[in-house]
Amino acid sequence: MPDKTYKNWKTVTEADFVSLFIKTWFAYISTLRTMFPEAYNRRGDKKYLDAYKKFYKTTGYKKLIIDENIMASIEKVYQEGRNVILEKYPEYYLWDFYNINENFDFTYKQIPPDKSECLIVGFKMNRNRGTKWSFIITGFVRLFGKYYGEEYNENLNFRLNISDILNRSPEYIAENQGVSEQDYLSWLLKEINYSVTHEIVETFKTMYEKATYGKRVITKIHNLEKQAISAIWSIFSLNAKDESSKSKDEMELDRNTYEIVRQRPLNYFLYHRDVEWQPVRDMTASEERWYKNLYKILKTTSILWFLDFVYRLRNALFHEIIDPLDEEWQIIFKNAYLVLKEIVDINIVEIEAKR
């Protein structure tokens, strides 16, 4: 039988990244305890981790130079982590790689000078109090005006709990093994969009049953209903749009007005490892500045995603959910260790500078 000692040694060296990760994790937590003593909590480290993310968003990002090596390690953690979770832990996929935007707030207004056919549409996202993953979309369609001398004035409210849709994520993943970033986000947005549209149609149906308007005004309101639905569909379409395909006007929009669901760090993150974020076309100076800023956002949000994911990675390891000798996990721990070590080094510099 051939000697396979060399393979065993190779396995040990790769598995050692698990122990390196563990030791670096404790070094990381130790720096946070020194940096944020006010976050002390006997129950765990979550408050320290939240304090560090807040610090990173405000000033810390200026001190951590995210070069190509760090980004490459984050991308490896992301890619291998996504593969493992899609295959073995689909119930965590949505929450590990996407974010339901609680700051989403959309308003559409169509008010002509003569105020003859006025339409206002609005909806926003809210989280149910006392729950972690229960989200409510609340909205309204306001229409008023005068048509053929007859006035109309309606304010229609709708409400949708999207928790059932979010909870169907594991089932969708199981039915579409190896689903792409594009297809997954498209499915999620489509399901929410259809449900929102259904609520609006049902709300209008109730109004039609009670309305005392003439046929001409009812026809006009039908048209306004279609315009309201079209405005909402355009938002979902923009939410799914690739950054490199956006027009100048779309670039200038506040993301909270159209991003209902966000992939973390940014939509189609892995796709853009091979395809440039910046489109291949002549651009104005303001467009070039927008894409330059997008790269900065990408780096910042990549670290924030990593900080959240590495915490869940730590939990999985400490609860013995994973196989440390599995090749994919070895890649994840190796690259997670490399990034975390950089963060620890920066934190130590920060601590010593204050002393």
Side-chain angles (χ1 to χ4, degrees):
M1 183 178 292
D3 183 8
K4 295 185 178 180
T5 304
Y6 65 92
K7 284 192 174 181
N8 293 336
W9 278 111
K10 180 177 182 291
T11 299
V12 169
T13 58
E14 290 175 337
D16 192 54
F17 281 113
V18 176
S19 61
L20 283 172
F21 172 83
I22 293 171
K23 287 183 280 190
T24 308
W25 172 265
F26 284 120
Y28 171 55
I29 292 299
S30 181
T31 62
L32 301 195
R33 289 177 185 274
T34 303
M35 294 170 72
F36 313 105
E38 70 281 1
Y40 172 74
N41 189 318
R42 290 183 178 181
R43 294 184 178 180
D45 301 323
K46 193 68 169 64
K47 286 193 174 182
Y48 289 115
L49 300 172
D50 289 341
Y52 186 76
K53 284 193 293 183
K54 185 177 180 181
F55 160 75
Y56 179 79
K57 289 177 185 177
T58 52
T59 60
Y61 72 92
K62 299 175 184 176
K63 300 169 184 181
L64 179 58
I65 306 302
I66 307 169
D67 58 20
E68 291 182 2
N69 292 331
I70 292 179
M71 279 303 297
S73 291
I74 290 175
E75 287 169 359
K76 270 294 183 185
V77 173
Y78 195 97
Q79 181 181 34
E80 297 300 331
R82 182 178 187 272
N83 291 342
V84 169
I85 289 172
L86 277 176
E87 181 182 351
K88 299 178 180 178
Y89 313 102
E91 65 273 22
Y92 299 121
Y93 178 66
L94 173 63
W95 311 114
D96 280 351
F97 295 92
Y98 292 82
N99 177 49
I100 309 302
N101 183 12
E102 294 179 57
N103 296 317
F104 171 74
D105 193 346
F106 165 74
T107 302
Y108 169 82
K109 291 184 179 182
Q110 176 188 291
I111 303 178
D114 62 357
K115 295 187 177 181
S116 56
E117 299 174 10
C118 301
L119 173 65
I120 306 173
V121 183
F123 68 114
K124 61 176 62 178
M125 186 74 70
N126 300 283
R127 189 207 296 260
N128 255 350
R129 277 189 171 184
T131 63
K132 192 173 184 181
W133 307 127
S134 181
F135 294 91
I136 305 290
I137 291 176
T138 57
F140 68 90
V141 179
R142 172 95 166 86
L143 45 94
F144 58 95
K146 184 180 290 188
Y147 196 64
Y148 280 92
E150 186 179 357
E151 292 186 0
Y152 58 90
N153 191 337
E154 296 288 343
N155 187 34
L156 310 173
N157 295 287
F158 62 92
R159 177 184 176 90
L160 173 69
N161 188 327
I162 65 170
S163 301
D164 288 343
I165 296 171
L166 303 179
N167 290 335
R168 292 204 301 271
S169 173
E171 180 184 348
Y172 173 79
I173 291 170
E175 294 172 354
N176 299 270
Q177 293 186 2
V179 63
S180 69
E181 299 165 299
Q182 291 88 341
D183 287 344
Y184 181 81
L185 183 59
S186 175
W187 166 78
L188 193 55
L189 291 172
K190 181 184 71 176
E191 292 296 309
I192 298 173
N193 189 4
Y194 284 173
S195 297
V196 169
T197 302
H198 175 75
E199 290 301 315
I200 292 174
V201 169
E202 289 299 309
T203 302
F204 267 88
K205 188 185 294 184
T206 302
M207 186 273 294
Y208 293 136
E209 291 171 354
K210 297 179 180 179
T212 57
Y213 302 119
K215 287 185 177 180
R216 285 179 171 176
V217 170
I218 290 294
T219 300
K220 170 51 58 182
I221 292 176
H222 265 301
N223 290 334
L224 291 173
E225 177 187 359
K226 291 176 183 177
Q227 291 177 42
I229 292 172
S230 177
I232 287 175
W233 276 62
S234 68
I235 289 302
F236 283 92
S237 177
L238 182 55
N239 191 166
K241 199 168 189 178
D242 185 17
E243 300 289 350
S244 61
S245 302
K246 288 181 177 177
S247 67
K248 185 174 183 298
D249 289 342
E250 289 168 343
M251 292 177 193
E252 294 171 352
L253 293 173
D254 181 345
R255 288 182 181 273
N256 287 329
T257 64
Y258 66 86
E259 284 191 340
I260 300 148
V261 179
R262 293 172 172 162
Q263 183 178 344
R264 301 183 67 196
L266 281 176
N267 287 356
Y268 317 137
F269 179 64
L270 289 179
Y271 169 74
H272 283 287
R273 292 180 67 193
D274 303 315
V275 178
E276 291 289 341
W277 288 95
Q278 187 167 312
V280 182
R281 60 176 171 81
D282 291 333
M283 292 188 293
T284 64
S286 62
E287 287 177 305
E288 289 182 352
R289 283 195 299 272
W290 188 84
Y291 278 107
K292 186 176 181 180
N293 187 54
L294 181 65
Y295 299 142
K296 293 180 181 178
I297 293 172
L298 173 62
K299 289 182 177 181
T300 303
T301 54
S302 293
I303 291 292
L304 290 171
W305 169 82
F306 173 81
L307 293 173
D308 284 338
F309 187 77
V310 82
Y311 175 57
R312 289 189 283 275
L313 188 62
R314 168 262 193 207
N315 288 344
L317 179 61
F318 286 12
H319 290 89
E320 299 182 26
I321 296 173
I322 67 169
D323 177 3
L325 295 183
D326 180 275
E327 186 178 350
E328 288 178 311
W329 282 117
Q330 289 173 10
I331 295 172
I332 292 170
F333 279 114
K334 174 184 177 179
N335 288 279
Y337 152 71
L338 292 172
V339 177
L340 197 58
K341 184 178 181 301
E342 291 286 339
I343 294 173
V344 169
D345 290 343
I346 292 294
N347 289 354
I348 290 173
V349 171
E350 175 75 8
I351 291 168
E352 293 181 347
K354 286 185 177 179
R355 286 178 176 174

